[in-house]
Amino acid sequence: MVVDSTVMPKAIAHPTDSKLLETSRDKLVEVAKANGIALKQTFEREGKYLTHKAGRYGHAKQYRRMRKVIKRQGTIVGRLSREIARKANTLSEAVQEALMQPLGRANQPRKNPAARHEAADDRRRAQACKQAPGH
């Protein structure tokens, strides 16, 4: 029996928080322009710069600095989504409906990480109770 166990490396780009936030920022700007909303700032240059900076910090294992950069990206996405929501109130119902999905998606990556950890802890506790003897 001949077995070949060579492993070929694949260039898989995993979705990092930084990339997701940059994509969210880009999509928000795109949707705003498509619906005729004039934004005060698009943060395009800063967004690209922060994405590269977060990647460099992660590669150098400087995780505190990386988290600070990702926090700034989240702030930018939040500012853009609030500005779009504020300016969408003056537009028609159809435009507001069209903006609801992108605005909801833009805020998804920014959900509270502490809440995610609490939910995971709750699931672990529930699983431990099910596996405990006598229950």
Side-chain angles (χ1 to χ4, degrees):
M1 174 190 279
V2 177
V3 178
D4 184 15
S5 63
T6 52
V7 178
M8 293 299 295
K10 301 283 184 203
I12 298 173
H14 296 285
T16 60
D17 289 343
S18 181
K19 286 180 192 175
L20 291 173
L21 287 167
E22 176 59 17
T23 303
S24 296
R25 185 206 59 80
D26 194 37
K27 296 287 183 191
L28 281 175
V29 171
E30 203 173 282
V31 167
K33 284 183 181 179
N35 289 298
I37 297 175
L39 295 173
K40 189 175 180 181
Q41 269 183 293
T42 62
F43 298 98
E44 187 169 349
R45 292 179 68 195
E46 186 179 2
K48 285 181 182 178
Y49 172 71
L50 290 173
T51 302
H52 294 302
K53 198 171 183 181
R56 287 195 301 268
Y57 284 147
H59 183 70
K61 297 189 188 308
Q62 297 175 356
Y63 297 120
R64 279 190 185 163
R65 289 178 181 172
M66 183 181 75
R67 278 195 299 270
K68 187 176 177 183
V69 169
I70 290 173
K71 186 176 179 181
R72 173 66 183 150
Q73 284 182 302
T75 301
I76 289 171
V77 169
R79 285 175 71 175
L80 284 173
S81 62
R82 284 190 301 273
E83 183 180 358
I84 291 170
R86 194 171 46 250
K87 291 183 178 183
N89 287 334
T90 61
L91 301 173
S92 67
E93 287 289 324
V95 173
Q96 288 181 15
E97 278 297 317
L99 290 172
M100 290 307 288
Q101 185 183 15
L103 286 175
R105 280 197 167 163
N107 291 325
Q108 266 182 340
R110 299 181 57 234
K111 286 186 180 172
N112 188 357
R116 283 191 302 220
H117 292 303
E118 288 173 17
D121 288 342
D122 292 342
R123 284 192 298 272
R124 281 191 220 106
R125 281 191 207 106
Q127 189 66 27
C129 288
K130 287 179 185 176
Q131 293 175 352
H135 283 101

